[in-house]
Amino acid sequence: EPRSPWCCLAWTLVIGTVNSLVFLLNLLLMFVIFTIVLLPTIVVVYFGFQCHSQVLHSSARYCKSILDDNSSSALIILGFVIMSPLLVVAMAIYCSLARRLRLLVCFQPYSLAVYKGGRWCRRGEGAPCCAGGCNTQLKAWV
């Protein structure tokens, strides 16, 4: 049965807020995982750019004694070369964790706002954000 216009608007705002929070949670999780996995690349490229005379040319002791322009260039190249495999690893970790935590199942359809009697948890989806009593088996394909 359809909801009244004001009730539909209120439910739309609630569902939009829930979906936005789930999206922000996914974004935060992705940011943390990518930052941790890509930290070696970030450090290597940072030191390469910091010690190169054409870029920042830091006056730090390690830049004067250990890293010259050639080794700084090598660090920059090495950082960009190891970035590709680390991006694949980071995405695999994020996808595995999101699937294990079932975060993508927590998005709610807007049909809950239009019609009365909808459930926050669709049958067959046992995500932690759903109400208890749902089926705990989840298929990756539907």
Side-chain angles (χ1 to χ4, degrees), residues 8-42:
C8 182
L9 178 65
W11 274 100
T12 301
L13 291 175
V14 168
I15 292 171
T17 303
V18 168
N19 286 344
S20 297
L21 290 175
V22 170
F23 174 75
L24 289 176
L25 178 67
N26 277 306
L27 199 63
L28 178 69
L29 181 67
M30 187 181 296
F31 177 76
V32 168
I33 289 172
F34 273 73
T35 301
I36 291 171
V37 172
L38 292 175
L39 192 61
T41 298
I42 295 168

Side-chain angles (χ1 to χ4, degrees), residues 31-112:
F31 177 76
V32 168
I33 289 172
F34 273 73
T35 301
I36 291 171
V37 172
L38 292 175
L39 192 61
T41 298
I42 295 168
V43 169
V44 167
V45 171
Y46 172 75
F47 282 120
F49 278 125
Q50 184 181 13
C51 294
H52 200 280
S53 66
Q54 299 295 321
V55 184
L56 294 178
H57 194 59
S58 175
S59 61
R61 184 172 47 106
Y62 55 85
C63 286
K64 292 179 180 178
S65 62
I66 299 174
L67 297 174
D68 59 353
D69 280 351
N70 291 333
S71 57
S72 295
S73 297
L75 281 179
I76 294 168
I77 292 169
L78 175 69
F80 284 115
V81 166
I82 66 173
M83 185 187 306
S84 297
L86 289 179
L87 279 172
V88 172
V89 169
M91 185 53 89
I93 291 172
Y94 166 73
C95 289
S96 172
L97 195 58
R99 183 172 179 238
R100 185 175 305 261
L101 295 176
R102 299 178 181 172
L103 291 177
L104 300 176
V105 178
C106 293
F107 287 106
Q108 298 298 321
Y110 282 102
S111 62
L112 288 176

Side-chain angles (χ1 to χ4, degrees), residues 113-130:
V114 178
Y115 299 106
K116 293 181 182 178
R119 292 184 172 190
W120 281 96
C121 183
R122 293 176 293 275
R123 292 199 185 275
E125 297 175 356
C129 59
C130 296

